[in-house]
Amino acid sequence: DTDLELVGKVYHDSNNDSDDDGTDDTESDNVANNDGLLRVEVTGGGDGSGKATVEIANSKAGPAQYDVTADDGPVSQVIEQVHAGDDETHLRFVYTPIETIGDGELQFTVSPGWSAPQADSSRMPGFTTVTSTGSIGAVTFSGGSLTVPIYSLDKGGTVTINYGTSDGGAVVPTTSGMSAFDIKVKGSEAGSPVSLASGNMEQVTVRPQASGRGTAEIDTDGDVYAGDTGRTFTITYTSIGQIMGGKLKVVVPDGDDWADATDASITVSGGSPSYGGGVAHLADHDDLNSVNDLVISNINIAAGASITVTYMSDAQATAGDVTFAVSFDGGHGPDTGFASVADLSVSVMEARAGSGMVMISQMGEIVAASEGNDITITYTVAGQIKGTVPGLTTEDRLFKVKVPTGWSAPSAAATADANMGTYTVTHSRMADDGTYAARTGEVEEQP
């Protein structure tokens, strides 16, 4: 496989003189006798020769088999795939020459949108190492390219480029499509770098955003208290890569107090709510599993676009943390199916001051200046009021009844004949078994 170049002749020695005159052959003797041997000079391999493979060392996607057309007809070619917006992706490129290379070089250039290769920090995107079975020089980096001097590399040897290795994984472009990485090879000192033929260079396919990717956050219209009514919860999902035909699921807290998830409104903001000129369809709820699930189907948005779910509901009557679960199904690759994006927590505090309901009832008709009237005041809490909370005192949990001016002052020790102002206070409290029992409250009289 080595090209030979005729640059001169080599002559016989005296023991093999061709004209039998007993003297060493001269140039004229060899010319006259059409004698001599070719002298050859072996140089490096051809520019642009060899082939390269690519392996995704870590990514959410795996390889896929495709039929492509090469110069000698259809062949099966492996095209590795990743997802738009992925990070910490590690690609391994292996170059193998089909001719011996001497005093040449290899140039590697990433496809537009990928992290620039670098060797300064293993914790930064694009960290790259280069190894070889041959003899190579120091690797230099410039923009999106690196250059490897090849002093010698035998046919069948390898140069391995680990791109995005260690903690400094490579960042994938945010749009889907074919990523064309380029390897140029100079076979000898006198050669020039030439790209490998398309059939000799495997490429990487960027699929739409993967399942479980993106970010989610939740905002409320102020602090949430047990038993609140008409509260607004805003869940915002933001894509990190292009989405084509994806699905977003939001699961609201369970319980009778919470509204059905399907009552939520959906809007798109930021980025582009369309792809290829087509308007995104965001309100197909066919995949609902329960009233707690809101599924938004056929999502087609660009990277950085946001889907906002506005959910209005009463809050539950008990205090504690509740979870809004957000998951995403990219609909492409081996990881098809919903995968969690985030579990968003909202704290529901004890019932707020001034909440609840009061009813007043009386025994018989009450007339002016009358005595012996019995009045019952019933307060029902809107939400849970539980044990001691750090930062709150007993004065923060008061049910106060103030009687009108001119009425008998409340008194637990009334001594008047008519026993005016006496009162009793009872309340019910839920036990561990869920039942309610009457309890006597602690009462403080105030002027």
Side-chain angles (χ1 to χ4, degrees):
D1 294 330
T2 302
D3 292 334
L4 302 179
E5 180 184 2
L6 176 62
V7 295
K9 293 183 179 182
V10 177
Y11 303 104
H12 293 182
D13 61 22
S14 60
N15 294 326
N16 293 290
D17 84 61
S18 58
D19 54 6
D20 297 323
D21 62 0
T23 62
D24 291 342
D25 286 336
T26 64
E27 181 176 0
S28 59
D29 291 332
N30 282 275
V31 171
N33 294 285
N34 196 25
D35 203 357
L37 299 175
L38 290 178
R39 180 166 65 86
V40 297
E41 180 177 340
V42 180
T43 63
D47 299 332
S49 64
K51 61 181 180 179
T53 61
V54 58
E55 173 194 356
I56 298 179
N58 66 326
S59 171
K60 291 181 174 294
Q65 197 81 15
Y66 293 90
D67 289 333
V68 298
T69 301
D71 294 339
D72 55 353
V75 296
S76 184
Q77 181 178 352
V78 173
I79 299 180
E80 299 283 354
Q81 54 187 343
V82 294
H83 289 284
D86 277 354
D87 53 9
E88 299 182 1
T89 299
H90 174 193
L91 304 182
R92 182 178 295 114
F93 294 85
V94 179
Y95 167 73
T96 304
I98 60 174
E99 301 174 332
T100 297
I101 294 178
D103 294 328
E105 69 178 30
L106 180 148
Q107 295 179 4
F108 170 77
T109 302
V110 301
S111 185
W114 288 76
S115 305
Q118 54 87 20
D120 294 330
S121 173
S122 63
R123 297 184 179 275
M124 297 298 292
F127 183 72
T128 302
T129 62
V130 181
T131 59
S132 177
T133 60
S135 175
I136 61 175
V139 181
T140 57
F141 296 84
S142 177
S145 300
L146 62 84
T147 300
V148 185
I150 301 177
Y151 300 140
S152 65
L153 181 62
D154 292 338
K155 172 185 176 181
T158 59
V159 173
T160 301
I161 301 169
N162 280 291
Y163 167 62
T165 186
S166 190
D167 295 332
V171 178
V172 182
T174 58
T175 56
S176 61
M178 185 72 75
S179 284
F181 289 81
D182 182 54
I183 288 181
K184 289 184 173 69
V185 174
K186 184 175 75 168
S188 65
E189 184 177 8
S192 299
V194 175
S195 296
L196 300 183
S198 59
N200 292 332
M201 177 70 192
E202 290 178 359
Q203 298 299 341
V204 177
T205 296
V206 178
R207 299 297 180 189
Q209 181 185 288
S211 299
R213 303 306 303 271
T215 61
E217 58 184 17
I218 188 168
D219 292 316
T220 62
D221 54 347
D223 293 334
V224 180
Y225 296 86
D228 277 357
T229 59
R231 299 307 304 270
T232 300
F233 303 85
T234 304
I235 299 100
T236 303
Y237 171 81
T238 303
S239 62
I240 62 169
Q242 183 183 29
I243 297 176
M244 298 174 60
K247 298 178 183 179
L248 182 70
K249 180 190 288 186
V250 177
V251 180
V252 302
D254 194 10
D256 295 336
D257 296 320
W258 296 97
D260 291 352
T262 50
D263 295 335
S265 62
I266 305 163
T267 58
V268 176
S269 61
S272 172
S274 64
Y275 172 76
V279 177
H281 303 286
L282 301 172
D284 180 0
H285 298 217
D286 293 339
D287 289 336
L288 292 176
N289 297 320
S290 72
V291 294
N292 298 95
D293 296 1
L294 170 65
V295 174
I296 307 167
S297 302
N298 196 24
I299 301 174
N300 300 287
I301 57 178
S306 297
I307 296 176
T308 301
V309 176
T310 304
Y311 171 71
M312 297 186 65
S313 175
D314 298 339
Q316 62 188 32
T318 55
D321 293 339
V322 296
T323 299
F324 292 76
V326 180
S327 56
F328 175 73
D329 177 4
H332 297 270
D335 61 340
T336 299
F338 282 106
S340 176
V341 174
D343 289 333
L344 307 174
S345 180
V346 174
S347 294
V348 179
M349 298 187 291
E350 296 184 34
R352 68 173 68 235
S355 64
M357 181 176 62
V358 176
M359 296 183 62
I360 188 166
S361 59
Q362 61 202 47
M363 296 292 292
E365 183 180 3
I366 297 178
V367 297
S370 61
E371 299 179 352
N373 298 292
D374 289 334
I375 297 174
T376 301
I377 300 169
T378 303
Y379 167 70
T380 303
V381 297
Q384 185 180 23
I385 301 174
K386 56 181 184 179
T388 303
V389 174
L392 296 180
T393 66
T394 54
E395 293 182 355
D396 295 312
R397 292 186 179 82
L398 295 178
F399 172 66
K400 182 183 293 186
V401 176
K402 183 176 182 179
V403 301
T405 302
W407 290 65
S408 301
S411 174
T415 56
D417 293 340
N419 205 26
M420 294 182 294
T422 59
Y423 60 85
T424 58
V425 176
T426 61
H427 74 281
S428 62
R429 180 176 183 179
M430 185 173 67
D432 292 338
D433 60 3
T435 61
Y436 287 85
R439 299 284 295 267
T440 300
E442 297 180 3
V443 181
E444 177 183 357
E445 298 174 7
Q446 297 179 348

